[in-house]
Amino acid sequence: MQKGFLALSVTTIFMCSMAVQAKPTVCVFDLLGKSGESYKLLEEWSLASKTWGTDIQLVSYQDEAKVDSDFKDGKCDGFYMTSMRARAYNKFAGSIDALGGVPNNEIAQKAISYVLDKRNNRRLISKVGKETYEVAGIGQIGSAYIFVKDRNMNRVEQAKGKKFAILHYDRAQKRMVERIGAVPVLSDISNFIRKFNQNEVDIVAAPAYAFKPLEIAKGLGAQGAMIDFPVVNVTADLIIRPEAFPEGYGQNSRAWFVKQLPKSFAMVKRMEAEIPAKYKVALSKESRDEYQKLLRDERIQLTQMGIYDATMMTVLKKARCTVERTNFECSLGGE
């Protein structure tokens, strides 16, 4: 009987040891796979995680939909993918990518730093059904600009009837494209640039991150252009199942991501500067104001519909008006 008890004890200790040593799996989306900047950032994060008592196993994906499905199937304990898609797991953090909500890098850095601050810890933990999720980090990918086939297409009304590639899971994009009279062409992040390059669509929105690797210049040809006005700031969320990580892990992780922001924004600025000037078309002040008002109106409606988080919209407006105090919206209510 004593032998049996000892054997049971050894087995229990071994199983507990295995549980402690089990590596949480984090599935990472990057269009460029392991060679991309997002994956490299997560590699640095996984090294830092060891100092917080956790050994992470990263799995690289170039298909964002597959990350989402594998996470839902329990194959990942966490994921890193665009905030637009991650919004379904945490609306507060996912709303940082609201249309026109973050019009430049300075505002983006302020907004991300605020969101990841410990005062927002409770907002970064969410329940969806029976599952609990925690936002453990937000990474900057960069402002998305409009790329058009015809460089003369620089006013809102000129988009009427034009085919515009949108991400099929983002209701905000579909509503905005329909509002300006363009034709939304449902796409995924893995093929929306290809549709532009193969002349299946006339317009696409993308950050500088995608310009060189996805060869957007092919789609622009001799007549195309990048409208130098950011319509949305693209970020990525790191979301985990907190029960798979040590207590306090999320706060350590968020603090680490904040420290990486200066380096991330320097990378974004470098990539934006590398886009040849010949492709860039600046908007007149009149056109910029027109776009800002259009995006603001749609953003308010989307918030009322429950697509965006109202608290986040207030945060973003404060960030915008701290940086640009003379902006027309700073004297207006509604957000």
Side-chain angles (χ1 to χ4, degrees), residues 51 53-54 59 65 70 90 104 117 130 139 156 173 176-177 238 242 293 300 333:
T51 66
T54 307
V59 183
D70 280 2
N90 186 287
N104 61 49
D117 189 272
K130 296 181 180 179
V156 173
Q173 289 186 38
M176 191 69 228
V177 168
L238 172 64
K293 289 172 182 175
I300 289 172

Side-chain angles (χ1 to χ4, degrees), residues 21-28 39 42-43 45-50 52-59 77-78 238 240 244-246 249 253:
Q21 294 174 10
K23 292 184 178 182
T25 298
V26 174
C27 299
V28 183
Y39 189 83
L42 268 289
E43 283 185 316
W45 167 77
S46 68
L47 287 174
S49 289
K50 292 181 180 180
W52 314 325
T54 307
D55 199 2
I56 304 290
Q57 179 178 341
L58 299 179
V59 183
D77 299 300
L238 172 64
I240 61 174
F245 295 79
Y249 182 87
S253 179

Side-chain angles (χ1 to χ4, degrees), residues 124-126 132-136 238-242 250-251 254:
L124 298 174
I125 296 175
S126 53
T132 299
Y133 305 111
E134 182 172 4
V135 179
L238 172 64
I239 292 185
I240 61 174
R241 290 187 170 95
Q251 181 57 49
R254 291 190 289 274

Side-chain angles (χ1 to χ4, degrees), residues 29 93 102 140 154 178 237 255 257 272 302 314 327 331:
F29 167 70
V102 179
Q140 173 72 354
N154 57 11
E178 289 175 339
D237 288 349
F257 268 85
E272 290 180 344
L302 289 164
T314 301
N327 193 296
S331 60

Side-chain angles (χ1 to χ4, degrees), residues 15-69:
M15 289 178 69
C16 289
S17 174
M18 288 293 286
V20 169
Q21 294 174 10
K23 292 184 178 182
T25 298
V26 174
C27 299
V28 183
F29 167 70
D30 192 313
L31 274 173
L32 309 182
K34 291 184 177 180
S35 65
E37 296 295 337
S38 290
Y39 189 83
K40 290 175 184 176
L41 177 70
L42 268 289
E43 283 185 316
E44 293 179 26
W45 167 77
S46 68
L47 287 174
S49 289
K50 292 181 180 180
T51 66
W52 314 325
T54 307
D55 199 2
I56 304 290
Q57 179 178 341
L58 299 179
V59 183
S60 173
Y61 289 72
Q62 289 178 272
D63 181 348
E64 193 177 47
K66 181 65 173 166
V67 174
D68 197 21
S69 63

Side-chain angles (χ1 to χ4, degrees), residues 134-151:
E134 182 172 4
V135 179
I138 299 174
Q140 173 72 354
I141 295 175
S143 296
Y145 298 90
I146 299 292
F147 292 89
V148 295
K149 291 286 183 182
D150 181 358
R151 67 189 305 108

Side-chain angles (χ1 to χ4, degrees), residues 102-112 140-145 230 232-234 261 264-270 272-273 323-324:
V102 179
N104 61 49
N105 287 324
E106 187 180 356
I107 293 171
Q109 191 162 345
K110 283 182 179 292
I112 296 172
Q140 173 72 354
I141 295 175
S143 296
Y145 298 90
V232 66
N233 186 66
V234 184
L261 287 176
S264 295
F265 277 92
M267 175 201 72
V268 168
K269 289 174 184 176
R270 173 176 55 79
E272 290 180 344
V323 176
E324 300 176 349

